[in-house]
Amino acid sequence: MGDRVARHGLEEQGINTPAELHWNLTTAPLVEQAVNRGEGLLAKDGPLVVGTGQHTGRSAKDKYIVRDSVTEGSVWWGKTNKAMEPDAFDRLHEDFLAALADKDSLFVADLYGGSQPEHRVRVRVINELAWHNLFIRTLLVRPETEELADFVPEYTIIDLPSFRADPKRHGCRSETVVAVNLEKKLILIGGTAYAGEMKKSVFGLLNFLLPTDGIMPMHCSANIGPDGDTAIFFGLSGTGKTTLSADPNRTLIGDDEHGWSDTAVFNFEGGCYAKMIRLSPEAEPEIFATTRRFGTVLENVVIDPETRELDLDDPSLAENSRGAYPIDFIPNSSEKNMGPVPRNIVMLTADAFGVLPPIARMTPDQAMYHFLSGYTAKVAGTEIGVTEPEATFSTCFGAPFMPRHPSVYGNLLKERIASGNVDCWLVNTGWTGGKYGVGRRMPIKATRALLNAALDGSLKNAQFRKDANFGFDVPVHVPGVEDRILDPRSTWSDPDEYDRTAAKLVDLFVHNFEQFADHVDEGVRQAAPRGSQSQGQAQPQAQATPA
């Protein structure tokens, strides 16, 4: 193991601990450690199954960025990016070092954030849990063995689920804390066992660093077609970002986080982090197969302790059950986690209002408008008190991970779309025939057929109509797809109710975008929905025109 131990040790980072240090363990030893330490169970077909306890998702309200000379004028401060004072962070850091000095064993992984060598960062992750170390080693990019001895970290993450923050001493909200210090290049995570905090911290770090080099960081999946055409898929959780990018006819670059440089789309990660709840072997065979592989980490998936059989349909531990697995577990994944610059951009939304068409073509201005809007909708019943569909706007399809002002990312995207002559599509994987509870979920076969037509270029030859509410182009006929489904209004039993619902959604878009209006040009402002339904009057559907 000597060749996997970095010469730049923890003591050179001011970390002194008597703990036994496990440096850069590979998958099998980490699984063995996790099982022996009682951190998880090995399932019947090989994956490691673990629980995250109270925290089954990110603790967004407990995340802070230290406000200092590096961040003062560059971070978009507000509800998402909350400030921590430098002296409070110093006290937190001091207490983290004391906690490290009290550990019997620690796991250290030296990794890369980013697959394109000239645009990646070196990240060291220090964990008290073996399965956390396995998780982050799976999710980030793994250096070659010969690179490890001379690895010098640029940024360090210390993740201690057993640590309890003191709000008065540490300037935070609760016993859980995620504190990012960009000047000291240090991220401290305590009081939560949810492993996704680590990967999202690296994502946030790259989202801060890369725009200064003109690199567009993106919360998206990406794949490559047989002709070398890259497509990127923006979308919030539950919209199909991971499912739709895992296409047996296209090569997967990655499922979650990417950069767009002058020469490539590159994955920030070396693994995938997919939702497991109610995973279907028929609809998602490639992802389902990973639940039968040694090396996969399954979070909050129900397992029979005797037979070790999994029950992916049981949400009793978490609706947000997850699986982390190396990207090469997907059969047709990219060897280098990179592809050419994109030919198509797809923005995914799960519209629970049942208003948006299953696919629409957007201009660059419309694409920037919808990128900054970052719309999807929660369905009734997913949260206590939610009885109607509820609009969710997460700017750039990833607001919690975007430290800079959204216009920084929006303008980068618009420039790259224009310079690359990229085709832009909005795809609704949500509801048709009515809102949630009345209509039905968009058939995945229809979504796949529409995506295939968009990505192979044939959809550009279709006839299009102007959407009466949003102004983008909607095809009127696509082979293999029922014509009626392409016109949402015609699928509703009560067209007047559709118009009223559409008017409500238009108004929600317009109200949400007011925060960005002064930061974009007139073309983007004019891309706002402005259907006359928003004044309570139905607008006739526009006549179809050729592409």
Side-chain angles (χ1 to χ4, degrees), residues 78-122:
K79 287 193 300 183
T80 298
N81 297 310
K82 298 185 294 295
M84 175 178 279
E85 294 303 314
D87 58 345
F89 181 88
D90 289 344
R91 291 191 293 271
L92 181 67
H93 186 201
E94 177 185 339
D95 292 346
F96 259 71
L97 292 178
L100 289 175
D102 198 38
K103 299 299 177 189
D104 294 327
S105 61
L106 292 168
F107 299 86
V108 186
D110 290 330
L111 302 158
Y112 294 127
S115 296
Q116 191 167 13
E118 56 267 43
H119 301 305
R120 67 191 181 194
V121 295
R122 299 184 302 277

Side-chain angles (χ1 to χ4, degrees), residues 347 360-370 414 417 422-425 466 471-473 523-524 526-527:
M347 297 185 188
R361 182 178 60 187
M362 298 183 291
T363 66
D365 284 329
Q366 289 170 336
M368 183 173 175
Y369 182 93
H370 283 273
K414 186 180 174 184
I417 288 171
V422 181
D423 291 322
C424 302
W425 309 91
K466 288 287 182 187
F472 38 48
D473 292 337
V524 177
Q526 289 300 317

